[in-house]
Each structure stands twice: as structure tokens, then as C-alpha cells.
């Protein structure tokens, strides 16, 4: 596995080897006609934090052509991850997922807080700007936990084993924390003609994208830059 080269040739941010993404069929699935991204995170996975930061860097250049939904994939070996996910789900009910994600990631990876503690989660909910009584009721009734269970079932349907995993356009699975250039080229590829007029897509080439049917045989490599269930190997996007 290799990282991107130190220097890139004009209009080609990728080296010769391909970026691989897996075609799962389906459709764009955003009623507004935007390219949708479902981001499956574990809020104690450092690679989820890295992918989140990279998407925050990349997405503004695409304007309103892309929508993002935050979903949960708490891993069993991250203590408290399920509790954080339930809180994230309750915040998502009020449309404040991104702000909560910022607080949860910063709290754990920068401020060294116990982000599974009730007071820390509530502080993140307040910082995110939700109605705290509605948030508390969501947790008390078990709705947050139920949403996380639904997210896990959905993830299983997409063949997701670890985090971060992105389902783009309800058609393609892309996993791992990679540089901004890789996310950009995949988004431009999936946007197709719609993306050609966008500034970030004018600066990249998608010629090295390789799509493989997710139902067919493909090589599994040890997961890099991702958190995954112990004993399993995974990587749905790789450079070799």
C-alpha cells in the first residue's frame, strides 16, 4: 500500500494505480437530486475522526451538490462507543449531527475526556444546540439505542465491517481515512456530468477509478486507516 506521491502531475492527483470502489447497485436516493453520503462512524475510532476532518475540508467546494447523513457503527472493543452512538442518534433527530460529531471527536482525541460519560455527552448535545429535554427523552425511551441498532443492520446490508465507511449515492461503498484528494476524485467520479462544472472536479482526473461489483470476487487486504472488528480483514478502497 502506498500513499499519494509527494508531487502530482497536472490534472491528475492520483498515481497510476487505481482507486477501487465497490458498486452495490441502487440509486442516488436523495429526493433533492443531490449525491448522498451516509457516513458510518465510531466516535472512538481515530480514523473516523480523521475522515470526518477530511470531509469537512473537502465538501464545501462541492456546494449544495452533496448531502451527508451521519450514521453509527460502534465497535465492540471501544468501551462506551454504543452509548456515544445513542447520544449521536438523539442529536441527529434534531438535525445537529455535525456539531455533535465535532464535539465528540474533539473531546476524546484532543481534550482526553471520557466522552461516554453522561455529563460529557450532555455538554456536547448542548454545544450542538439541541433542545436538551427532547434529547433526554430520546435517551430515556431507548429511541437512540433503537436507531443505532437500525444503523448497524443497515451497515451489515452494505457489507460494512469497520469505520469509517461511507456509502455514496446509495450505490458505492468507500472505506478508510485517506487524503482529501482521494475523497475528491471519488466524489467527482460519482457526480459524473453533474460534477464537471465544479471547481474541484476540474482539477482532478477520474481515469484511475476502478469499480467492482460488490457481489463478485475481490481482494481483501488487511485494513489500513480503519477501525474494524478484531480478527477480520477489510479494505474496500485500496491503492497498491
Amino acid at each position: 500500500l502506498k500513499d499519494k506521491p509527494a508531487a502530482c502531475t497536472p490534472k491528475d492527483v492520483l498515481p497510476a494505480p487505481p482507486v477501487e470502489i465497490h458498486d452495490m447497485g441502487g440509486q442516488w436516493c436523495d429526493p433533492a437530486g443531490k449525491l448522498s453520503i451516509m457516513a458510518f462512524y465510531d466516535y472512538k475510532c481515530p480514523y473516523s475522526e480523521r475522515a470526518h476532518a477530511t470531509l469537512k475540508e473537502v465538501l464545501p467546494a462541492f456546494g449544495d451538490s452533496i448531502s451527508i447523513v451521519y450514521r453509527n457503527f460502534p465497535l465492540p472493543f471501544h468501551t462506551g462507543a454504543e452509548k456515544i452512538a445513542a447520544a449521536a442518534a438523539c442529536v441527529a433527530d434534531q438535525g445537529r449531527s455535525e456539531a455533535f460529531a465535532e464535539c465528540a471527536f474533539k473531546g476524546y482525541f484532543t481534550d482526553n475526556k471520557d466522552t461516554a460519560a453522561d455529563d460529557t455527552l450532555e455538554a456536547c448535545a448542548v454545544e450542538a444546540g439541541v433542545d436538551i429535554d427532547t434529547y433526554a427523552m430520546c435517551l430515556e425511551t431507548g429511541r437512540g439505542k433503537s436507531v443505532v441498532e437500525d444503523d448497524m443492520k443497515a451497515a451489515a446490508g452494505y457489507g460494512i465491517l469497520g469505520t469509517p465507511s461511507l456509502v455514496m449515492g446509495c450505490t458505492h461503498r468507500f472505506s478508510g481515512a485517506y487524503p482529501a484528494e482521494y475523497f475528491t476524485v471519488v466524489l467527482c467520479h460519482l457526480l459524473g456530468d453533474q460534477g464537471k462544472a465544479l471547481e474541484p472536479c476540474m482539477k482532478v482526473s477520474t481515469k484511475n477509478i476502478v469499480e467492482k461489483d460488490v457481489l463478485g470476487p475481490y481482494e481483501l487486504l488487511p485494513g489500513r486507516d480503519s477501525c474494524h472488528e478484531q480478527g477480520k480483514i477489510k479494505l474496500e478502497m485500496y491503492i497498491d
Side-chain angles (χ1 to χ4, degrees):
L1 292 174
K2 300 177 182 178
D3 291 319
K4 72 182 182 71
C8 302
T9 56
K11 285 189 170 292
D12 191 355
V13 300
L14 291 180
V19 170
E20 182 176 307
I21 54 179
H22 291 272
D23 186 352
M24 302 180 296
Q27 55 189 358
W28 277 32
C29 81
D30 186 307
K34 299 179 182 181
L35 176 65
S36 65
I37 298 176
M38 284 187 284
F40 288 85
Y41 289 156
D42 175 315
Y43 289 96
K44 283 195 168 183
C45 172
Y47 305 114
S48 288
E49 189 272 340
R50 187 186 302 174
H52 176 72
T54 303
L55 284 174
K56 185 179 177 182
E57 172 190 347
V58 167
L59 292 183
F62 287 87
D64 62 358
S65 61
I66 295 173
S67 65
I68 185 165
V69 175
Y70 295 85
R71 303 192 71 172
N72 301 283
F73 195 80
L75 293 160
F77 51 87
H78 284 155
T79 303
E82 290 186 2
K83 188 175 179 182
I84 302 169
C90 288
V91 169
D93 268 357
Q94 299 187 49
R96 302 297 298 165
S97 293
E98 182 175 354
F100 178 87
E102 291 287 322
C103 182
F105 283 133
K106 180 177 181 295
Y108 188 68
F109 292 106
T110 303
D111 300 335
N112 297 313
K113 292 181 179 179
D114 177 7
T115 46
D118 291 337
D119 57 345
T120 305
L121 290 173
E122 183 171 316
C124 281
V126 169
E127 185 174 322
V130 303
D131 179 87
I132 203 63
D133 291 333
T134 303
Y135 163 82
M137 182 63 70
C138 175
L139 290 176
E140 289 171 12
T141 60
R143 170 166 169 71
K145 182 178 179 181
S146 177
V147 170
V148 173
E149 290 171 353
D150 288 343
D151 286 349
M152 297 293 285
K153 290 175 184 176
Y158 289 123
I160 290 171
L161 297 177
T163 58
S165 288
L166 308 178
V167 177
M168 298 183 174
C170 291
T171 59
H172 292 77
R173 187 182 68 212
F174 178 85
S175 295
Y178 287 85
E181 291 87 347
Y182 291 102
F183 285 109
T184 297
V185 78
V186 169
L187 291 171
C188 290
H189 171 73
L190 293 177
L191 283 168
D193 290 341
Q194 182 179 344
K196 288 182 178 179
L198 298 175
E199 183 177 352
C201 298
M202 295 178 184
K203 300 177 181 178
V204 301
S205 168
T206 61
K207 68 182 181 180
N208 292 318
I209 289 284
V210 173
E211 294 193 32
K212 290 192 175 182
D213 186 341
V214 74
L215 300 178
Y218 59 90
E219 185 177 12
L220 282 174
L221 302 177
R224 188 199 73 165
D225 287 1
S226 62
C227 298
H228 53 91
E229 291 186 53
Q230 293 171 324
K232 294 184 178 180
I233 56 175
K234 63 161 287 289
L235 191 62
E236 293 91 30
M237 190 284 276
Y238 66 86
I239 307 296
D240 64 1

